[in-house]
Amino acid sequence: MNILMPNKYTEKALQESRRFGVKPVPPLRPLGWLARGWADMTRCPGPSLLHGLVLALLGALIFLLGRDRFWLLAGAFSGFLLVAPILATGLYAISRDIELNRQPGLHTVLNAWRPHDGRLVVFGVLLAFAGTGWVMTSASLITGFAGVPILKPLDFLRHVVLNEQSHLFEIWLALGALLAAPVFASTVIAVPLLLDRQIGVLGAVFTSWRVVMEYPAPVALWAVLVMSLTLLGMATLMLGFIVVLPWLGHASWHAYRDLVDTSGLTRND
């Protein structure tokens, strides 16, 4: 009997996902998401930039605590980036209020973070497990093939990144991309959907995958833009995160609204 339970849950999630239509978008639409995300951020700058400041300080704290411990730093940063869609929940709520002609503010963010149900918590835990899996896989690869102990970030730079006698860094990047792709596909619209509508976590993930499979070109461009802006934020010693993270959060809301047809379905308020 227990063996059949996952199939029942999966079928229920598929039925939930089918309630949402997927809307066609042109390949360059992600640029429009960035433009509308920027407009939302400038319309409600206080809570948006405060969101970014808190996340930038969290990133800086991670770096300070792990700067001499490579695997601690790698694990913490991986987890931080993977759960970023959950951390942007308040930004989605601000963009939703703007869309509904409400007056968003700090109260909007606080209300979004108030625990109404456990779906976002469950999703955040799953993302944390994914981050842990990547760090363990990464550690096994580097430890097994680097040839020398990798204990500090400088060791990784010297013996992996700058090692011209080995292709370990290229393999490490390819493996990271291979593992990151399904995580991105599972989250690209899932968290805004969970915030906005009544749907289970697995149903939201299935909807996200439908979007990716039906319109891979704009989603691929969106992934490149997200990664590029994230790297830009990291390159500025996390200061860029103050603007980049809220900008991407608001833009992600517009990605969800452009890609998923939720007409006729009850909104979470």
Side-chain angles (χ1 to χ4, degrees):
M1 186 68 177
N2 290 335
I3 297 177
L4 298 178
M5 292 302 290
N7 293 331
K8 292 181 179 180
Y9 286 128
T10 301
E11 181 59 32
K12 179 183 177 182
L14 287 170
Q15 291 175 358
E16 286 184 320
S17 177
R18 294 188 187 109
R19 295 166 56 205
F20 300 93
V22 177
K23 297 188 287 188
V25 296
L28 297 181
R29 181 62 64 85
L31 299 176
W33 301 338
L34 286 178
R36 282 182 279 172
W38 186 268
D40 285 357
M41 186 174 65
T42 55
R43 182 170 174 178
C44 189
S48 296
L49 294 177
L50 179 60
H51 223 100
L53 177 61
V54 171
L55 295 179
L57 290 174
L58 178 59
L61 179 62
I62 289 172
F63 178 78
L64 289 174
L65 293 177
R67 65 185 184 276
D68 293 325
R69 301 173 180 85
F70 177 71
W71 294 116
L72 174 62
L73 182 62
F77 251 116
S78 297
F80 174 68
L81 294 176
L82 281 172
V83 301
I86 299 292
L87 300 177
T89 301
L91 299 167
Y92 308 145
I94 290 173
S95 288
R96 181 176 64 174
D97 273 9
I98 291 174
E99 180 182 320
L100 296 174
N101 293 317
R102 297 172 179 169
Q103 187 61 43
L106 187 58
H107 65 279
T108 307
V109 176
L110 296 177
N111 185 61
W113 279 103
R114 189 175 301 140
H116 300 288
D117 57 55
R119 293 176 301 148
L120 290 174
V121 174
V122 169
F123 201 42
V125 170
L126 292 175
L127 290 176
F129 276 124
T132 302
W134 157 242
V135 172
M136 294 178 64
T137 303
S138 174
S140 299
L141 176 69
I142 300 300
T143 303
F145 294 96
V148 296
I150 304 297
L151 303 176
K152 299 180 179 182
L154 188 60
D155 296 334
F156 182 79
L157 179 64
R158 182 180 301 158
H159 300 294
V160 178
V161 179
L162 300 179
N163 187 350
E164 297 180 355
Q165 308 301 318
S166 170
H167 297 290
L168 182 58
F169 181 58
E170 289 80 359
I171 296 171
W172 181 78
L173 286 178
L175 180 62
L178 182 65
L179 295 177
V183 174
F184 181 80
S186 300
T187 59
V188 63
I189 57 92
V191 181
L193 177 57
L194 287 169
L195 173 73
D196 194 41
R197 307 286 166 163
Q198 279 297 326
I199 184 173
V201 171
L202 191 55
V205 170
F206 284 162
T207 306
S208 192
W209 271 94
R210 284 178 56 210
V211 165
V212 173
M213 289 188 291
E214 293 193 31
Y215 298 101
V219 174
L221 176 58
W222 180 232
V224 170
L225 292 172
V226 169
M227 181 56 66
S228 299
L229 288 172
T230 300
L231 290 175
L232 177 63
M234 295 174 66
T236 58
L237 300 178
M238 314 305 162
L239 290 175
F241 276 170
I242 298 173
V243 173
V244 165
L245 293 180
W247 185 13
L248 288 175
H250 290 304
S252 295
W253 171 262
H254 290 288
Y256 153 66
R257 295 296 290 148
D258 257 7
L259 289 164
V260 181
D261 182 4
T262 59
S263 59
L265 296 171
T266 303
R267 187 188 299 270
N268 290 331
D269 288 317

